[in-house]
Amino acid sequence: MRYTIEINDDFDLKKIFECGQCFRWNETETGVWSGVAMGRAARVSFDGRILTIADSAPEGAENVWPEYFDLDRDYRAARQAVAVDGYMAAAGEFGAGIRILNQDRWETLCSFIISQCNNIPRIKKIVETMASCFGDEVAFRGETRHAFPSAAAVAALEPEDLSPLRCGYRAPYVIAAARAVASGGLDLDALSRTDEDTARRTLKALPGIGDKVANCVILFSLRMGGAFPVDTWMKKALSRHYPDGFDPAVFGQNAGLAQQYMFYYQRSFTEKENAS
DNA sequence: GAACAGGCAACTC
DNA sequence: GAGTTGCCTGTT
């Protein structure tokens, strides 16, 4: 179905989809993004005022997409709030339009397990292959797309079944996480109603999940804005701009957004350095 | 062909 | 508890 909504806030699809939080969206025409999320194949565009979404499901778009794009949150205000110094003001200005997506929890968990020690193009390829091998078919505009496979579907597999994905030593981690979720031993919905520390502890009890992956899952799917994932890019940014140490708690529930601004800003510099 | 990449865990001391 | 190393695979 087709769904439109007017947006009077920071909103930039390119930044949202390319800031490292999701792996299934691609710019298929200028300004038009295609992907599959929450079991729906979709095309999304934004003209600066109106967000237009066409998706494969007959109904429910108005319940799914506003939450997915976090439309209830005032990002302009949040961006002001995290501009605590010159650096953060610049990072926020540069990253203005980034939003933290509220993604499917199992898909996010699985994707970030795969992400470890991997670059974005390769993560995208692995996730896409996983969907096409094991996910349900979704027909959309004459094409066949694939939903991300359910935890139950993946739980029924063995690590060697994932060999087409070429995800190497991460395969047993993916299966173990799928089994934990499918069995009910790990209830991600319930986890989203606990607190950040409980969520982090619970996630880290799974094999192959450390602080970085746990924080990504917490921030991008459990709707806890205080999580602050630190990877090698963030280490670079933090050591350069805050050599005396840094406590993300100063940002409170905006810490995750502050992290996204810093991350996106830092990557832009490194890309320039690599290009030159 | 070695080193590395948007980690993690097991092992060392 | 801080530091080191192996792990799959693709890219440089």
Side-chain angles (χ1 to χ4, degrees), chain A residues 106 130 134 148-158 162 174-175 178-179:
Chain A
W106 152 245
M130 186 168 177
F134 307 112
F148 192 80
S150 68
V154 179
L157 305 172
E158 296 297 330
L162 299 186
V174 169
I175 302 290
R179 289 180 180 166

Side-chain angles (χ1 to χ4, degrees), chain A residues 60-82:
Chain A
E62 70 281 4
N63 296 324
V64 170
W65 297 112
E67 170 142 33
Y68 185 78
F69 286 106
D70 206 20
L71 296 187
D72 284 343
R73 182 172 175 190
D74 183 344
Y75 276 74
R76 217 167 270 164
R79 181 156 56 83
Q80 301 298 320
V82 302

Side-chain angles (χ1 to χ4, degrees), chain A residues 88-165:
Chain A
M88 281 309 302
E93 197 165 323
F94 184 81
I98 291 175
R99 304 181 78 89
I100 310 274
L101 295 171
N102 293 130
Q103 302 183 67
D104 177 86
R105 299 189 173 108
W106 152 245
E107 177 176 343
T108 305
L109 172 62
C110 192
S111 298
F112 279 94
I113 288 173
I114 289 166
S115 80
Q116 66 186 66
C117 219
N118 251 332
N119 52 41
I120 290 178
R122 189 154 166 250
I123 299 164
K124 289 177 78 165
K125 194 173 167 191
I126 293 173
V127 171
E128 208 57 48
T129 306
M130 186 168 177
S132 60
C133 286
F134 307 112
D136 291 339
E137 290 188 356
V138 181
F140 183 54
R141 300 169 66 97
E143 285 180 45
T144 301
R145 306 296 311 271
H146 292 267
F148 192 80
S150 68
V154 179
L157 305 172
E158 296 297 330
E160 50 268 33
D161 296 323
L162 299 186
S163 56
L165 312 188

